[in-house]
Amino acid sequence: MSGAPIIELDDVRKTYLAGSLSVDALRGITLRVDEGDYLAVMGPSGSGKSTLMHILGCLDVPTSGTYLLSGEDVGSLGEARLAEIRNRRIGFVFQQFNLLPSMTAWRNVELPLMYAGVHRDERKERAVAALESVGLGNRVDHRPGELSGGQQQRVSVARALVTEPSLLLADEPTGNLDSASTEDILGLFDELHAQGRTIVVITHEHEVAARSARAMLIRDGELYAADPMDAATTHGVTA
Ligand SMILES: Nc1ncnc2c1ncn2[C@@H]1O[C@H](COP(=O)(O)OP(=O)(O)OP(=O)(O)O)[C@@H](O)[C@H]1O
Ligand SMILES: [Mg+2]
């Protein structure tokens, strides 16, 4: 069912220093996510979700412990190589879709390919194919303002997938969506999971965690296994 390890965190700690105060945001996180896995991470405000997300997305590095991404130790890499990994191996989906309003859907989706140095003809072809894969083949020339919230988030999922990353990382992907659009995006994630994509989603919403294959709770910088159907209440956490 599941394949090779994509994420291997071993005793990852993150300590922030702000003036004389130090905050232990992550306190020994050990986590493995295999190819094809669909993991939801839940937790209350201040528990370390964004900190974990930043480390998983190679936007920040641990204070101690190791992070292997597809077997590569990313803790030892410089910023240029980390930027390349973010571009090629990780697809990001954010709460605020982060689409450029003046650009059409396909222009938004081709952006990661521009950074990757892909030739323009191939960029358009791949951008359109990515939009088709999220069900927006009939909206490629629409600008974000001409699309519904759920459709805009679909565009950002297409942008995340266009580089064929090994990991899709979503941070509160339904946080700005109404219930119909939330259902739309969760349906899309179901499809991606069925196709064998590896998905990690950070969410406050129980209905989002309930759709994942596996849920974890983070509290005070520590990670606990949870039942996806019961992720909001296990360990007394009300997300
Ligand atoms: N850059 C920083 N400098 C100092 N402390 C920080 C920094 N970023 C986060 N923290 C602290 O680390 C802890 C975890 O923060 P984090 O942003 O990961 O929480 P979160 O779970 O994402 O919360 P929320 O649900 O409110 O977004 C908090 O106590 C926070 O105050
Ligand atoms: Mg956060």
Side-chain angles (χ1 to χ4, degrees):
M1 209 181 91
S2 52
I6 301 288
I7 292 170
E8 292 168 281
L9 294 181
D10 184 28
D11 198 21
V12 162
R13 293 167 190 271
K14 182 69 184 183
T15 301
Y16 291 113
L17 296 174
S20 58
L21 190 71
S22 82
V23 176
D24 296 320
L26 298 180
R27 300 189 299 151
I29 303 268
T30 296
L31 170 69
R32 173 173 163 160
V33 176
D34 289 339
E35 198 178 346
D37 210 349
Y38 180 5
L39 171 70
V41 177
M42 298 195 81
S45 183
S47 58
K49 297 185 300 298
S50 293
T51 304
L52 178 63
M53 177 86 184
H54 290 151
I55 287 175
L56 292 178
C58 295
L59 295 156
D60 203 351
V61 289
T63 306
S64 70
T66 53
Y67 174 19
L68 306 185
L69 178 63
S70 300
E72 183 171 7
D73 187 348
V74 295
S76 59
L77 302 177
E79 183 46 41
R81 180 77 181 112
L82 287 176
E84 194 179 314
I85 285 178
R86 288 195 296 271
N87 178 242
R88 309 275 170 95
R89 309 236 301 258
I90 302 167
F92 292 93
V93 176
F94 302 99
Q95 179 172 354
Q96 328 273 358
F97 321 124
N98 292 354
L99 299 172
L100 297 176
S102 64
M103 291 169 75
T104 62
W106 81 264
R107 288 283 188 193
N108 270 284
V109 173
E110 76 160 348
L111 281 175
L113 298 177
M114 288 182 78
Y115 301 133
V118 174
H119 187 269
R120 62 181 301 168
D121 297 342
E122 187 187 334
R123 288 201 306 261
K124 175 153 196 187
E125 206 171 291
R126 286 172 61 178
V128 170
L131 284 164
E132 283 168 353
S133 78
V134 300
L136 286 180
N138 56 354
R139 293 288 187 277
V140 297
D141 288 320
H142 285 236
R143 290 186 170 76
E146 299 162 348
L147 297 169
S148 73
Q151 289 172 335
Q152 289 180 59
Q153 193 60 303
R154 279 181 179 254
V155 173
S156 80
V157 173
R159 181 185 53 192
L161 295 176
V162 76
T163 54
E164 293 291 330
S166 44
L167 173 65
L168 185 65
L169 259 188
D171 191 2
E172 300 282 3
T174 59
N176 275 10
L177 299 178
D178 62 24
S179 56
S181 299
T182 292
E183 181 52 39
D184 183 47
I185 291 302
L186 293 179
L188 176 59
F189 280 16
D190 287 346
E191 280 173 39
L192 296 173
H193 179 224
Q195 289 164 16
R197 302 274 182 184
T198 311
I199 305 171
V200 175
V201 51
I202 294 201
T203 183
H204 275 95
E205 293 169 66
H206 184 223
E207 68 173 305
V208 178
R211 293 285 278 272
S212 68
R214 186 157 75 99
M216 314 261 332
L217 285 171
I218 184 166
R219 195 164 69 165
D220 291 336
E222 292 186 86
L223 205 55
Y224 304 88
D227 179 347
M229 298 308 294
D230 195 29
T233 49
T234 313
H235 294 284
V237 175
T238 46

